[in-house]
Amino acid sequence: MKIKVVDHPLVQHKLTLMRRRETPTSTFRQLVTEIAMLLGYEVTRDLELTNRQIETPLEEMEAPVLAGKKLCFVSILRAGNGLVDGMLSLMPSARVGHVGLYRDPKTLVAIEYYYKVPHDIGDRLAIVVDPMLATANSAIAAIERLKQGGAKRMKFVCLLAAPEGVEAFSQAHPDVELYTAAVDRELNDHGYILPGLGDAGDRIYGTR
Ligand code: PRP
Ligand code: URA
């Protein structure tokens, strides 16, 4: 599996602001959107292009456009929605799928409660997004479910990963490239990333 740590200075700066305890919900949400655009730029860097004949006001030319079917962002609910919103502002006509999962707080096992993706997901690149890769149980389960549903080409994007999660993810899905803004130190006994940024869903939606 390939892992790409997006070390762009703007990404690193925004991530630091997000980590701070005192960053309020409104700012945190805005930062998720902004950082998602930067991660979206990076994860789409190798999209295929094809040439199309167009007319400028002065003459005809062969100009590059994206090849193939529009890609699909897949949000792992609920925190993934924060990242999808930012990425959609880069690619407004992308398709969007949702996989609803929550972590059982005791066992940390991912439990599915919702699944809806485009019927032709197998023909599209699926960019699966969730801010946090902790144990990786959620990401592994979401990608397994997408594979069962026919998805063939996938990338996974998060903000923060734990080394334990990176290891588990790469064992489970060596074919899926992983993009993250940082790999933190470790997980605590409750499966939270240290130093981390806390509970991403709660910080985006102000539920705690
Ligand atoms: C959080 C986060 C990931 C998951 C990561 O979601 O958004 O989906 O935990 O942990 P893991 O790698 O150990 O599976 P949570 O289950 O808290 O649900 P939420 O998005 O609804 O808040
Ligand atoms: N989910 C979160 O939102 N944060 C963590 O640190 C771990 C899992």
Side-chain angles (χ1 to χ4, degrees), residues 76-81 99-105 108-111 113 129-141 156 160 162 165 187 190-193 198-205 207:
I76 301 183
L77 300 175
R78 75 193 147 141
N81 279 0
V99 182
L101 293 171
Y102 69 89
R103 282 203 316 177
D104 180 284
L108 302 182
V109 169
I111 306 193
Y113 59 87
V129 301
D130 188 332
M132 310 302 273
L133 187 79
T135 62
N137 288 346
S138 306
I140 290 170
F156 180 79
L160 273 187
L187 292 178
H190 303 289
Y192 277 85
I193 299 174
D199 187 300
D202 283 342
R203 295 205 63 190
I204 294 170
Y205 297 111
T207 41

